[in-house]
Amino acid sequence: MSVKPVFTSLAAAVAISLSANVNAADTSEWAKDTTSGETDAAMHLEPDLENGLDVYEVCSACHMPEGWGFTDGTFPQLAGQHRPVLIKQLADIRALNRDNPTMYPFALPESIGDEQALADVTAYIEKLPMNPENGKGEWAEGTPEFEQGKKLYEDNCVQCHGDHGQGDREKFYPRIEGQHYAYMLRQFEWIRDGKRRNANPDMVEQIKNFTDKDMAMVVNYVSRIPVDPKDLAPSADWTNPDFD
């Protein structure tokens, strides 16, 4: 599969904008404690989107050229995710602060490059349009489980993840709207049960008493939060033109 960069004069403008946004990031104590020095270094580098596309070719084998992953949750949707979040997770995996044996060899510097590569590939991923048909849970709006999931979200998750799952790029809180249900459910369980070592301890404390049913209901609700159409691909049949 050949890759044809499509960014020309746009690259510089987008890179400047991204750099300005990320440099303002507030690295909380949690973030500092669970990252290597690569996180801060990468966030202060100006992204090169053309190199980001080249680096992303490695990632696309699992996350797909569109960055959508799989609705069955095998791999998460990366498209549209906040760049600081992506940088932090990549750096954590490389530093063995987050256990991900499948991804680890592909995230290493010898596979994708140094801090500049992290800056570049995350800038590219953040600008990808999201899947308009993400994987959703089984309970539709109006069901008792949907409504209970909504209440659990409002009572426990809004402060960090926002009123519609938008997250907070300056505090490393991920965007969870539009993410696949099965992937979120697995990560939620791992965080609750202490299997994800780089999880925010505030979240671990917040959800420690969630039952499995509670988890399923709140994640079902999140998976069904509508994403702003401007952030979505025009259809589920959209293909990334950079990979034509």
Side-chain angles (χ1 to χ4, degrees):
M1 178 181 292
S2 62
V3 178
K4 297 190 293 186
V6 297
F7 299 104
T8 54
S9 59
L10 176 63
V14 173
I16 291 172
S17 173
L18 286 167
S19 180
N21 287 336
V22 172
N23 286 348
D26 170 24
T27 52
S28 65
E29 288 306 312
W30 158 68
K32 291 176 182 176
D33 289 346
T34 62
T35 57
S36 70
E38 281 192 310
T39 302
D40 186 65
M43 288 197 306
H44 288 82
L45 294 171
E46 182 173 319
D48 178 338
L49 290 178
E50 291 192 7
N51 185 57
L53 170 56
D54 290 339
V55 174
Y56 185 69
E57 187 173 10
V58 175
C59 314
S60 68
C62 293
H63 293 284
M64 307 302 292
E66 295 71 38
W68 292 356
F70 291 91
T71 57
D72 67 2
T74 308
F75 298 104
Q77 171 159 228
L78 301 180
Q81 184 58 263
H82 300 311
R83 183 166 170 256
V85 171
L86 294 169
I87 289 173
K88 179 185 185 311
Q89 296 306 316
L90 274 166
D92 279 359
I93 290 169
R94 282 155 68 115
L96 297 177
N97 291 328
R98 176 178 173 181
D99 300 315
N100 193 324
T102 300
M103 186 171 170
Y104 178 72
F106 299 100
L108 290 173
E110 50 264 40
S111 297
I112 62 172
D114 58 10
E115 292 96 336
Q116 185 67 56
L118 297 188
D120 299 344
V121 71
T122 54
Y124 178 78
I125 293 168
E126 184 180 45
K127 288 299 180 181
L128 287 171
M130 299 169 68
N131 185 350
E133 296 183 8
N134 64 292
K136 297 177 175 62
E138 64 179 294
W139 296 301
E141 186 172 359
T143 61
E145 291 85 357
F146 177 91
E147 297 305 324
Q148 180 61 17
K150 180 179 180 181
K151 185 177 189 306
L152 285 166
Y153 184 83
E154 291 171 346
D155 291 346
N156 295 277
C157 312
V158 167
Q159 184 174 354
C160 294
H161 290 288
D163 58 355
H164 58 91
Q166 71 269 31
D168 188 329
R169 63 181 291 122
E170 294 185 358
K171 294 182 179 179
F172 297 89
Y173 298 147
R175 182 181 193 180
I176 54 177
E177 59 177 345
Q179 187 56 267
H180 304 309
Y181 169 81
Y183 176 77
M184 286 192 289
L185 187 61
R186 183 170 71 251
Q187 296 303 312
F188 196 113
E189 182 178 9
W190 286 357
I191 291 170
R192 184 196 64 177
D193 297 348
K195 295 180 181 178
R196 181 161 162 173
R197 292 185 294 110
N198 75 336
N200 187 331
D202 291 339
M203 181 174 178
V204 176
E205 179 66 20
Q206 188 73 26
I207 68 173
K208 66 181 181 181
N209 294 321
F210 272 50
T211 67
D212 290 352
K213 182 69 176 291
D214 290 337
M215 288 194 303
M217 289 189 295
V218 73
V219 173
N220 172 81
Y221 170 73
V222 174
S223 74
R224 293 176 174 274
I225 296 175
V227 177
D228 191 323
K230 70 177 175 56
D231 296 332
L232 298 173
S235 76
D237 296 325
W238 181 81
T239 57
N240 188 344
D242 294 344
F243 285 74
D244 289 343

